[in-house]
């Protein structure tokens, strides 16, 4: 589950950086400058992760609540990434709250989609 969460987060950050016009590089850096954004997402998502244990068997209401909380979390991470990138003069710049919100939706949706693919963990009985 951990590997799929990491892969989904990296794919989501890359997709948001490519698809959204409000997310751009700070300066004309090489393409790997998005690594700062990916590292910030990975660090914070590992400290505070709101993902269900078994995504396919989770109740729909719980998925919606966790997805909403996750989108807010990812939006705040995009704003943090933009601030860190401005301080370091490398990385990704986010133009505003709308771009950060759309980036959060893309990252969270990609992560949940990747986590839903493949074999699922079976919850252990208590």
């Amino acid at each position: 589950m951990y590997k799929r969460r990491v892969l989904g987060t990296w794919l989501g950050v890359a997709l948001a950086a490519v698809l959204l016009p409000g997310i751009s590089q700070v300066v004309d850096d090489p393409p790997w400058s998005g690594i700062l954004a990916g590292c910030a997402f990975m660090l914070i998502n590992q400290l505070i992760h709101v993902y269900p244990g078994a995504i396919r068997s989770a109740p729909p209401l719980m998925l919606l609540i966790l997805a909403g909380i996750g989108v807010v979390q990812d939006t705040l991470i995009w704003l943090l990434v933009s601030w860190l990138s401005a301080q370091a003069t490398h990385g990704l710049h986010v133009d505003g709250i709308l771009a950060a919100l759309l980036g959060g939706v893309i990252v969270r949706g990609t992560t949940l989609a990747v986590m839903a693919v493949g074999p699922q963990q079976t919850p252990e009985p208590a």
Side-chain angles (χ1 to χ4, degrees):
M1 192 66 104
Y2 168 76
K3 291 178 184 177
R4 283 186 279 178
R5 190 170 67 219
V6 169
L7 177 65
T9 303
W10 280 104
L11 286 175
V13 169
L15 274 174
V18 169
L19 294 177
L20 296 177
I23 298 176
S24 59
Q25 293 182 354
V26 173
V27 294
D28 291 330
D29 283 341
W32 55 268
S33 67
I35 291 177
L36 175 67
C39 288
F41 268 91
M42 292 315 306
L43 179 68
I44 295 172
N45 277 336
Q46 293 309 310
L47 294 175
I48 310 168
H49 64 279
V50 286
Y51 298 103
I55 205 164
R56 286 190 207 150
S57 62
L61 183 61
M62 184 176 87
L63 282 177
L64 284 174
I65 291 171
L66 291 177
I69 292 169
V71 167
V72 171
Q73 175 186 338
D74 289 345
T75 300
L76 294 173
I77 296 172
W78 273 115
L79 295 173
L80 175 67
V81 162
S82 181
W83 179 78
L84 287 173
S85 298
Q87 301 300 314
T89 66
H90 295 291
L92 299 174
H93 171 71
V94 180
D95 284 339
I97 191 75
L98 184 60
L101 181 65
L102 291 174
V105 168
I106 290 174
V107 170
R108 188 58 50 155
T110 306
T111 304
L112 288 174
V114 169
M115 287 176 63
V117 174
Q120 299 290 310
Q121 281 182 320
T122 55
E124 295 180 20

